[in-house]
Amino acid sequence: MKIEKFFELAKQAGIGQSQLQVIKSSSTKIRLFRGEIDEFKIKESQTIIACGIYEGKFGSAISEKLDEQALETLIESIKRNASISEKPDEVGLFAGSAKYKKKNIYSSELHNTPISEKIALLKRLEKAIKSYDPRITDADSVTYAESESDVAFYNSLGLKLKQKGNYFYFVAGAVAEENGEVKTYYDEHFGTDLKAFSPEEMAKRICDKALAKFHWFTCRSGKYPTVLDRTVFASLLDYFLESTVADNVQRHTSFLEGKLNEKVGSSKLTIEERPLEKTPFYSYFDDEGVATCNKTIVKSGRLLTYLYNRETAKKDGVETTGNATWRGGKIGTGYTSIYVKKGKQTFDELIAPVKEGVYITEIAGLGTGMNARSGNFSCQAEGYWIKDGKIERPLSLITLSGNLLQLMKDIKAFDNRAQLDSSSICNADCLIKKLSIGGE
């Protein structure tokens, strides 16, 4: 067997401990353009990630093949990368956790559904968008994508782990025109159960939001009570979570450094990571082979833990949280399946107390407008003006700015419209006490 051969060759080459991950993946992508298939791609790939301890240092290598020549190349690369490393390995490889919580999340039904049925759903989606309203002039980027992965993990200490999963998503946009003005809106549907997908419901959601953008205005600059759409809040939360990663804390690049067990958000903010939830993001082991666990990161505004791999955990004298992940050819730290505790009120009840404020539904430029070290951010935004607790008019040509830590502390409430999407974050819309809005 090639796996056993790798460990045998690695030992002969002086690599004391070695590890191999074999990731097989396949993907399908179908895109329509005006009723016809414009793109149809089926791709299969294999990624081999190998690593080991050579002369007291950690080395790694990546390949797409697992034949004998590839094995030899991987071993030489591990030795070479370890030799040029300036840092000795302090934790070694992992022998295994006492218990793993393995579940089957693979959808055979999704895999076995004929491609013709998936194309039929896609065409229904495009047709529903284009026929929704006379002002809808076209459907854009109408796409079906499906992904499947099969991960196998082995190391020379005898650890063997495997997991398999799949999911799909539809993406589409509506192009609307009124009196020469053109507006667009894009959205997605993500999941594993095709029977739960309604092309007509998705089309209605997209078209309603595209049509609602007409007759916009730009508000006066100022600080206003601000409701963040769940997708906008998820984008900001992603940067907040990066500051809980121990690698960043130990490099002094996190605005949450020194804030463990302190209030970093309002009492309304509770954030959990649930890698063991039965979703497409389920994973019962991390990239070091450590058993994952569900955990509370922030509870009622208080920061309970940073996220660790084995190396950063040893540095802080704590246990790993099972968040190791490959980053740039080395073991880093990541997170998945993030759940923010939702509220009990509806969206209408959430905005009811707002006399004058904004509802932000889209942002752009956050990647360049975010200072990850300080948490300060500024980006372009679109949304709606709120007047006397009601959505009044669409807003455009505005900017949203603030500080991420202060934003989390200023959360007043969440509504109950929580949903998990392809970002792997499940959260609801939230009301912020005040944010700076740049307008006229």
Side-chain angles (χ1 to χ4, degrees):
M1 186 179 178
K2 292 184 176 66
I3 305 300
E4 296 172 351
K5 184 68 172 179
F6 169 78
F7 293 132
E8 180 185 328
L9 292 173
K11 186 176 181 180
Q12 291 174 1
I15 300 174
Q17 297 178 354
S18 53
Q19 178 177 299
L20 202 64
Q21 284 171 266
V22 182
I23 305 167
K24 296 179 180 180
S25 61
S26 62
S27 62
T28 301
K29 181 180 179 182
I30 308 165
R31 186 176 64 191
L32 295 184
F33 180 71
R34 296 179 180 173
E36 301 296 329
I37 296 176
D38 182 55
E39 181 181 2
F40 194 149
K41 291 183 179 178
I42 296 178
K43 181 181 178 181
E44 294 187 353
S45 63
Q46 177 176 261
T47 302
I48 315 299
I49 304 175
C51 62
I53 312 300
Y54 178 69
E55 295 184 347
K57 296 179 181 180
F58 180 88
S60 65
I62 297 178
S63 173
E64 294 181 355
K65 297 181 180 180
L66 200 56
D67 56 28
E68 189 164 341
Q69 183 178 350
L71 293 181
E72 293 176 355
T73 302
L74 285 170
I75 289 167
E76 288 305 313
S77 296
I78 291 171
K79 292 173 62 177
R80 181 172 60 253
N81 291 336
S83 297
I84 62 176
S85 174
E86 297 179 356
K87 186 176 71 172
D89 178 79
E90 296 182 355
V91 295
L93 300 186
F94 185 61
S97 296
K99 186 176 181 181
Y100 292 92
K101 297 181 179 180
K102 187 174 181 179
K103 298 176 184 177
N104 178 23
I105 61 160
Y106 182 73
S107 172
S108 298
E109 186 174 7
L110 173 61
H111 176 81
N112 293 328
T113 299
I115 197 71
S116 59
E117 292 185 22
K118 297 165 184 175
I119 293 172
L121 286 170
L122 197 59
K123 289 187 174 182
R124 275 176 57 190
L125 175 59
E126 184 186 54
K127 182 179 178 181
I129 292 172
K130 296 177 74 171
S131 62
Y132 186 79
D133 186 283
R135 292 169 294 173
I136 301 295
T137 60
D138 207 353
D140 187 43
S141 301
V142 184
T143 303
Y144 173 83
E146 186 177 321
S147 181
E148 188 170 305
S149 65
D150 192 341
V151 180
F153 179 106
Y154 311 89
N155 70 24
S156 58
L157 303 177
L159 189 57
K160 298 178 181 179
L161 304 166
K162 291 186 178 183
Q163 63 183 19
K164 187 176 183 179
N166 57 348
Y167 63 86
F168 73 88
Y169 60 89
F170 287 88
V171 176
V175 182
E177 185 174 353
E178 184 176 278
N179 299 323
E181 185 179 3
V182 177
K183 293 293 181 181
T184 59
Y185 185 81
Y186 297 82
D187 207 347
E188 70 168 31
H189 176 95
F190 169 82
T192 58
D193 184 5
L194 281 170
K195 292 179 180 177
F197 172 66
S198 168
E200 291 72 26
E201 287 180 8
M202 181 175 177
K204 182 181 187 304
R205 184 171 71 247
I206 293 170
C207 292
D208 282 346
K209 290 187 176 181
L211 293 169
K213 290 186 175 186
F214 291 121
H215 314 298
W216 59 270
F217 81 112
T218 304
C219 64
R220 300 184 308 275
S221 295
K223 290 189 175 183
Y224 296 100
T226 302
V227 176
L228 299 177
D229 183 84
R230 64 174 187 82
T231 58
V232 174
F233 184 77
S235 296
L236 292 164
L237 181 65
D238 203 25
Y239 285 95
F240 179 83
L241 290 169
E242 278 294 326
S243 282
T244 70
V245 170
D247 309 57
N248 297 325
V249 175
Q250 293 171 358
R251 286 195 294 262
H252 310 295
T253 60
S254 166
F255 56 79
L256 294 179
E257 182 181 358
K259 298 188 182 300
L260 198 61
N261 297 314
E262 294 183 8
K263 292 281 281 187
V264 296
S266 84
S267 60
K268 302 292 183 180
L269 182 65
T270 294
I271 306 170
E272 298 176 333
E273 187 198 33
R274 303 182 195 168
L276 298 176
E277 197 82 6
K278 203 169 182 180
T279 73
F281 304 106
Y282 165 82
S283 180
Y284 75 94
F285 61 91
D286 71 3
D287 282 346
E288 290 183 304
V290 175
T292 59
C293 63
N294 295 341
K295 62 188 75 71
T296 302
I297 301 170
V298 175
K299 184 175 183 179
S300 300
R302 190 175 301 279
L303 179 64
L304 299 186
T305 184
Y306 296 128
L307 302 179
Y308 292 96
N309 59 33
R310 293 170 60 242
E311 182 181 14
T312 55
K314 184 177 180 180
K315 188 172 182 179
D316 277 4
V318 298
E319 293 292 321
T320 175
T321 56
N323 286 88
T325 188
W326 282 101
R327 287 189 173 186
K330 62 180 182 179
I331 292 290
T333 309
Y335 45 85
T336 188
S337 295
I338 297 297
Y339 286 74
V340 180
K341 185 179 180 180
K342 65 181 180 179
K344 296 181 179 180
Q345 58 192 328
T346 66
F347 177 76
D348 289 342
E349 291 169 337
L350 182 72
I351 68 172
V354 180
K355 298 302 180 184
E356 281 193 333
V358 296
Y359 169 39
I360 302 297
T361 57
E362 298 175 70
I363 55 175
L366 187 61
T368 56
M370 174 67 72
N371 184 320
R373 186 185 293 265
S374 67
N376 294 331
F377 66 89
S378 179
C379 59
Q380 295 177 325
E382 290 186 29
Y384 299 88
W385 181 249
I386 302 172
K387 179 74 172 178
D388 295 327
K390 302 287 185 182
I391 299 293
E392 188 179 66
R393 294 177 62 186
L395 284 171
S396 191
L397 302 176
I398 60 173
T399 58
L400 175 71
S401 58
N403 177 271
L404 203 48
L405 184 57
Q406 190 60 48
L407 182 152
M408 296 298 171
K409 292 180 178 179
D410 286 344
I411 292 173
K412 296 187 71 175
F414 289 94
D415 67 16
N416 58 7
R417 300 198 303 183
Q419 182 178 330
L420 180 69
D421 59 27
S422 60
S423 71
S424 86
I425 296 176
C426 181
N427 66 284
D429 310 302
C430 73
L431 172 61
I432 309 297
K433 183 179 179 181
K434 281 187 179 180
L435 280 174
S436 293
I437 304 297
E440 292 181 340

mmCIF file of all heavy atoms in Angstrom, residues 86-110:
data_model
loop_
_atom_site.group_PDB
_atom_site.id
_atom_site.type_symbol
_atom_site.label_atom_id
_atom_site.label_comp_id
_atom_site.label_asym_id
_atom_site.label_seq_id
_atom_site.Cartn_x
_atom_site.Cartn_y
_atom_site.Cartn_z
ATOM 1 N N GLU A 86 14.274 27.761 10.690
ATOM 2 C CA GLU A 86 15.093 28.307 11.772
ATOM 3 C C GLU A 86 14.530 27.963 13.148
ATOM 4 O O GLU A 86 15.152 28.256 14.158
ATOM 5 C CB GLU A 86 15.191 29.831 11.627
ATOM 6 C CG GLU A 86 15.881 30.279 10.343
ATOM 7 C CD GLU A 86 15.952 31.783 10.217
ATOM 8 O OE1 GLU A 86 15.395 32.471 11.104
ATOM 9 O OE2 GLU A 86 16.570 32.279 9.256
ATOM 10 N N LYS A 87 13.340 27.349 13.173
ATOM 11 C CA LYS A 87 12.676 27.090 14.442
ATOM 12 C C LYS A 87 12.564 25.599 14.713
ATOM 13 O O LYS A 87 12.051 24.847 13.880
ATOM 14 C CB LYS A 87 11.275 27.717 14.424
ATOM 15 C CG LYS A 87 10.545 27.636 15.754
ATOM 16 C CD LYS A 87 9.206 28.361 15.688
ATOM 17 C CE LYS A 87 8.225 27.603 14.834
ATOM 18 N NZ LYS A 87 6.855 28.165 14.899
ATOM 19 N N PRO A 88 13.027 25.125 15.857
ATOM 20 C CA PRO A 88 12.883 23.698 16.177
ATOM 21 C C PRO A 88 11.427 23.342 16.449
ATOM 22 O O PRO A 88 10.658 24.168 16.946
ATOM 23 C CB PRO A 88 13.732 23.538 17.444
ATOM 24 C CG PRO A 88 13.753 24.892 18.066
ATOM 25 C CD PRO A 88 13.731 25.863 16.919
ATOM 26 N N ASP A 89 11.045 22.125 16.105
ATOM 27 C CA ASP A 89 9.687 21.671 16.391
ATOM 28 C C ASP A 89 9.577 21.375 17.881
ATOM 29 O O ASP A 89 10.444 20.740 18.472
ATOM 30 C CB ASP A 89 9.372 20.411 15.589
ATOM 31 C CG ASP A 89 7.997 19.878 15.903
ATOM 32 O OD1 ASP A 89 7.031 20.445 15.376
ATOM 33 O OD2 ASP A 89 7.893 18.921 16.695
ATOM 34 N N GLU A 90 8.485 21.837 18.484
ATOM 35 C CA GLU A 90 8.329 21.694 19.932
ATOM 36 C C GLU A 90 7.223 20.737 20.341
ATOM 37 O O GLU A 90 7.115 20.384 21.521
ATOM 38 C CB GLU A 90 8.063 23.070 20.560
ATOM 39 C CG GLU A 90 9.229 24.043 20.390
ATOM 40 C CD GLU A 90 8.960 25.381 21.058
ATOM 41 O OE1 GLU A 90 7.836 25.568 21.564
ATOM 42 O OE2 GLU A 90 9.869 26.216 21.082
ATOM 43 N N VAL A 91 6.397 20.296 19.404
ATOM 44 C CA VAL A 91 5.258 19.466 19.798
ATOM 45 C C VAL A 91 5.232 18.097 19.130
ATOM 46 O O VAL A 91 4.548 17.185 19.615
ATOM 47 C CB VAL A 91 3.919 20.193 19.519
ATOM 48 C CG1 VAL A 91 3.796 21.425 20.385
ATOM 49 C CG2 VAL A 91 3.773 20.542 18.045
ATOM 50 N N GLY A 92 5.953 17.910 18.034
ATOM 51 C CA GLY A 92 5.907 16.634 17.338
ATOM 52 C C GLY A 92 4.549 16.391 16.713
ATOM 53 O O GLY A 92 3.674 17.261 16.704
ATOM 54 N N LEU A 93 4.355 15.199 16.167
ATOM 55 C CA LEU A 93 3.059 14.841 15.606
ATOM 56 C C LEU A 93 2.164 14.272 16.704
ATOM 57 O O LEU A 93 2.615 13.981 17.814
ATOM 58 C CB LEU A 93 3.231 13.858 14.456
ATOM 59 C CG LEU A 93 4.077 14.366 13.286
ATOM 60 C CD1 LEU A 93 4.067 13.370 12.137
ATOM 61 C CD2 LEU A 93 3.593 15.735 12.804
ATOM 62 N N PHE A 94 0.896 14.074 16.380
ATOM 63 C CA PHE A 94 -0.106 13.747 17.396
ATOM 64 C C PHE A 94 -0.513 12.279 17.306
ATOM 65 O O PHE A 94 -0.861 11.784 16.229
ATOM 66 C CB PHE A 94 -1.331 14.651 17.190
ATOM 67 C CG PHE A 94 -2.386 14.507 18.231
ATOM 68 C CD1 PHE A 94 -2.124 14.788 19.568
ATOM 69 C CD2 PHE A 94 -3.664 14.097 17.885
ATOM 70 C CE1 PHE A 94 -3.105 14.670 20.528
ATOM 71 C CE2 PHE A 94 -4.657 13.965 18.842
ATOM 72 C CZ PHE A 94 -4.372 14.259 20.169
ATOM 73 N N ALA A 95 -0.501 11.592 18.450
ATOM 74 C CA ALA A 95 -0.796 10.155 18.468
ATOM 75 C C ALA A 95 -2.289 9.852 18.410
ATOM 76 O O ALA A 95 -2.682 8.736 18.069
ATOM 77 C CB ALA A 95 -0.201 9.515 19.725
ATOM 78 N N GLY A 96 -3.131 10.837 18.717
ATOM 79 C CA GLY A 96 -4.576 10.612 18.641
ATOM 80 C C GLY A 96 -5.302 11.017 19.912
ATOM 81 O O GLY A 96 -4.744 10.973 21.008
ATOM 82 N N SER A 97 -6.559 11.424 19.764
ATOM 83 C CA SER A 97 -7.393 11.776 20.909
ATOM 84 C C SER A 97 -8.025 10.516 21.494
ATOM 85 O O SER A 97 -8.136 9.479 20.826
ATOM 86 C CB SER A 97 -8.495 12.748 20.470
ATOM 87 O OG SER A 97 -7.941 13.972 20.013
ATOM 88 N N ALA A 98 -8.483 10.634 22.729
ATOM 89 C CA ALA A 98 -9.089 9.477 23.400
ATOM 90 C C ALA A 98 -10.407 9.080 22.742
ATOM 91 O O ALA A 98 -10.762 7.899 22.698
ATOM 92 C CB ALA A 98 -9.321 9.805 24.876
ATOM 93 N N LYS A 99 -11.128 10.072 22.198
ATOM 94 C CA LYS A 99 -12.435 9.783 21.610
ATOM 95 C C LYS A 99 -12.718 10.732 20.460
ATOM 96 O O LYS A 99 -12.409 11.925 20.528
ATOM 97 C CB LYS A 99 -13.529 9.908 22.679
ATOM 98 C CG LYS A 99 -14.902 9.489 22.215
ATOM 99 C CD LYS A 99 -15.908 9.559 23.361
ATOM 100 C CE LYS A 99 -17.288 9.110 22.908
ATOM 101 N NZ LYS A 99 -18.302 9.183 24.012
ATOM 102 N N TYR A 100 -13.314 10.206 19.403
ATOM 103 C CA TYR A 100 -13.730 11.012 18.254
ATOM 104 C C TYR A 100 -15.235 10.852 18.050
ATOM 105 O O TYR A 100 -15.774 9.747 18.219
ATOM 106 C CB TYR A 100 -13.002 10.568 16.975
ATOM 107 C CG TYR A 100 -11.522 10.855 16.980
ATOM 108 C CD1 TYR A 100 -10.611 9.899 17.427
ATOM 109 C CD2 TYR A 100 -11.037 12.084 16.528
ATOM 110 C CE1 TYR A 100 -9.253 10.155 17.425
ATOM 111 C CE2 TYR A 100 -9.674 12.345 16.526
ATOM 112 C CZ TYR A 100 -8.788 11.381 16.971
ATOM 113 O OH TYR A 100 -7.437 11.648 16.967
ATOM 114 N N LYS A 101 -15.911 11.921 17.699
ATOM 115 C CA LYS A 101 -17.363 11.895 17.493
ATOM 116 C C LYS A 101 -17.652 11.914 15.996
ATOM 117 O O LYS A 101 -17.905 12.955 15.391
ATOM 118 C CB LYS A 101 -18.014 13.071 18.202
ATOM 119 C CG LYS A 101 -17.830 13.019 19.714
ATOM 120 C CD LYS A 101 -18.497 14.167 20.421
ATOM 121 C CE LYS A 101 -18.309 14.062 21.935
ATOM 122 N NZ LYS A 101 -18.953 15.193 22.654
ATOM 123 N N LYS A 102 -17.631 10.733 15.415
ATOM 124 C CA LYS A 102 -17.783 10.592 13.964
ATOM 125 C C LYS A 102 -19.255 10.483 13.576
ATOM 126 O O LYS A 102 -20.024 9.755 14.193
ATOM 127 C CB LYS A 102 -17.016 9.359 13.478
ATOM 128 C CG LYS A 102 -16.963 9.220 11.974
ATOM 129 C CD LYS A 102 -16.073 8.061 11.557
ATOM 130 C CE LYS A 102 -15.999 7.946 10.042
ATOM 131 N NZ LYS A 102 -15.124 6.841 9.597
ATOM 132 N N LYS A 103 -19.633 11.231 12.532
ATOM 133 C CA LYS A 103 -20.985 11.195 11.987
ATOM 134 C C LYS A 103 -20.912 11.063 10.468
ATOM 135 O O LYS A 103 -19.911 11.440 9.852
ATOM 136 C CB LYS A 103 -21.745 12.481 12.332
ATOM 137 C CG LYS A 103 -21.943 12.737 13.799
ATOM 138 C CD LYS A 103 -22.617 14.084 14.011
ATOM 139 C CE LYS A 103 -22.741 14.416 15.496
ATOM 140 N NZ LYS A 103 -23.330 15.759 15.710
ATOM 141 N N ASN A 104 -21.988 10.564 9.906
ATOM 142 C CA ASN A 104 -22.083 10.491 8.441
ATOM 143 C C ASN A 104 -22.890 11.687 7.941
ATOM 144 O O ASN A 104 -24.088 11.798 8.202
ATOM 145 C CB ASN A 104 -22.751 9.191 8.015
ATOM 146 C CG ASN A 104 -22.903 9.105 6.504
ATOM 147 O OD1 ASN A 104 -22.184 9.761 5.765
ATOM 148 N ND2 ASN A 104 -23.853 8.303 6.056
ATOM 149 N N ILE A 105 -22.243 12.598 7.225
ATOM 150 C CA ILE A 105 -22.941 13.771 6.695
ATOM 151 C C ILE A 105 -23.047 13.718 5.170
ATOM 152 O O ILE A 105 -23.595 14.624 4.549
ATOM 153 C CB ILE A 105 -22.233 15.074 7.102
ATOM 154 C CG1 ILE A 105 -20.801 15.108 6.533
ATOM 155 C CG2 ILE A 105 -22.230 15.251 8.605
ATOM 156 C CD1 ILE A 105 -20.217 16.483 6.456
ATOM 157 N N TYR A 106 -22.518 12.677 4.580
ATOM 158 C CA TYR A 106 -22.515 12.567 3.119
ATOM 159 C C TYR A 106 -23.922 12.274 2.598
ATOM 160 O O TYR A 106 -24.603 11.360 3.089
ATOM 161 C CB TYR A 106 -21.563 11.455 2.689
ATOM 162 C CG TYR A 106 -21.447 11.285 1.193
ATOM 163 C CD1 TYR A 106 -20.752 12.212 0.425
ATOM 164 C CD2 TYR A 106 -22.039 10.198 0.558
ATOM 165 C CE1 TYR A 106 -20.642 12.049 -0.944
ATOM 166 C CE2 TYR A 106 -21.933 10.026 -0.809
ATOM 167 C CZ TYR A 106 -21.230 10.963 -1.558
ATOM 168 O OH TYR A 106 -21.130 10.811 -2.916
ATOM 169 N N SER A 107 -24.357 13.060 1.615
ATOM 170 C CA SER A 107 -25.684 12.880 1.038
ATOM 171 C C SER A 107 -25.588 12.047 -0.244
ATOM 172 O O SER A 107 -25.231 12.561 -1.303
ATOM 173 C CB SER A 107 -26.331 14.232 0.732
ATOM 174 O OG SER A 107 -27.539 14.053 0.016
ATOM 175 N N SER A 108 -25.922 10.775 -0.131
ATOM 176 C CA SER A 108 -25.949 9.918 -1.323
ATOM 177 C C SER A 108 -27.035 10.374 -2.287
ATOM 178 O O SER A 108 -26.893 10.264 -3.502
ATOM 179 C CB SER A 108 -26.201 8.466 -0.909
ATOM 180 O OG SER A 108 -25.167 7.986 -0.090
ATOM 181 N N GLU A 109 -28.129 10.898 -1.732
ATOM 182 C CA GLU A 109 -29.231 11.361 -2.575
ATOM 183 C C GLU A 109 -28.788 12.512 -3.472
ATOM 184 O O GLU A 109 -29.101 12.548 -4.663
ATOM 185 C CB GLU A 109 -30.414 11.792 -1.710
ATOM 186 C CG GLU A 109 -31.643 12.155 -2.523
ATOM 187 C CD GLU A 109 -32.852 12.431 -1.643
ATOM 188 O OE1 GLU A 109 -32.693 12.471 -0.407
ATOM 189 O OE2 GLU A 109 -33.948 12.615 -2.194
ATOM 190 N N LEU A 110 -28.030 13.455 -2.908
ATOM 191 C CA LEU A 110 -27.516 14.562 -3.718
ATOM 192 C C LEU A 110 -26.583 14.040 -4.797
ATOM 193 O O LEU A 110 -26.679 14.433 -5.969
ATOM 194 C CB LEU A 110 -26.779 15.567 -2.820
ATOM 195 C CG LEU A 110 -26.041 16.700 -3.540
ATOM 196 C CD1 LEU A 110 -26.999 17.551 -4.361
ATOM 197 C CD2 LEU A 110 -25.286 17.564 -2.528
#
